[in-house]
């Protein structure tokens, strides 16, 4: 389980450092003008035919919300300052650590998740909670045993 967290953290860190630059092609019209018609000869008749390619819009980003997670001490109920969290559906969706007693995870896709919390430096799960993330809202989670 610890190895999976390290791999997931490395993938997230690598993805955050990727920059994509889209270069324009002076021979192509700007996107606002639409695609250029393409002329070709019909194989069946030999006569010229013009087609205009279909332009599809990129998919809209998935709606997201946030999770504000605390980990209460099972004996005293006081918040534990240093802990880590994994937000899971079928895979680890988000993870993070804090030493302030509260962890805010932003941009979590809307949906139902299992929140697993463990004390910093330990691999055993200390707290578990199930929570729904609603788009545009902050869901507060107290992951308890």
């Amino acid at each position: 389980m610890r190895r999976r967290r390290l791999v997931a953290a490395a993938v997230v860190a690598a993805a955050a450092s990727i920059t994509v630059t889209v270069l324009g092609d002076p021979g192509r019209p700007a996107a606002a003008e639409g695609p250029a018609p393409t002329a070709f000869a019909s194989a069946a008749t030999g006569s010229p035919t013009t087609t205009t390619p279909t332009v599809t819009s990129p998919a809209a980003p998935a709606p997201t919300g946030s999770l504000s997670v605390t980990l209460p001490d099972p004996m005293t109920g006081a918040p534990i300052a240093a802990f880590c969290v994994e937000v899971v559906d079928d895979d680890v969706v988000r993870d993070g650590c804090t030493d302030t007693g509260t962890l805010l995870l932003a941009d979590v896709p809307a949906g139902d998740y299992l929140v697993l919390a463990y004390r910093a430096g330990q691999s055993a799960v200390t707290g578990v909670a199930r929570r729904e993330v609603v788009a545009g809202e902050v869901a507060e989670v107290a992951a308890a045993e």
Side-chain angles (χ1 to χ4, degrees):
M1 184 159 159
R2 179 80 175 149
R3 179 179 167 90
R4 183 179 67 177
R5 283 193 300 272
L6 293 175
V7 170
V11 170
V12 169
S17 67
I18 295 174
T19 302
V20 176
T21 304
V22 178
L23 301 176
D25 180 354
R28 299 193 74 178
E33 297 171 329
T38 304
F40 62 93
S42 168
T45 65
S47 57
T49 304
T50 302
T51 64
T52 302
T54 304
V55 176
T56 57
S57 299
T64 62
S66 300
L67 283 171
S68 176
V69 185
T70 58
L71 179 61
D73 183 290
M75 300 299 284
T76 65
I80 295 172
F83 65 94
C84 296
V85 169
E86 289 182 344
V87 178
V88 180
D89 56 8
D90 291 334
D91 294 312
V92 175
V93 175
R94 293 290 309 274
D95 63 351
C97 295
T98 185
D99 60 3
T100 65
T102 301
L103 177 63
L104 180 65
L105 295 171
D107 298 324
V108 178
D112 286 321
Y113 297 100
L114 187 62
V115 179
L116 306 174
Y118 48 95
R119 292 176 191 245
Q122 296 182 0
S123 60
V125 172
T126 305
V128 178
R130 181 162 295 281
R131 185 66 69 220
E132 178 181 9
V133 174
V134 177
E137 295 183 14
V138 178
E140 296 199 11
V141 182
E145 291 185 304

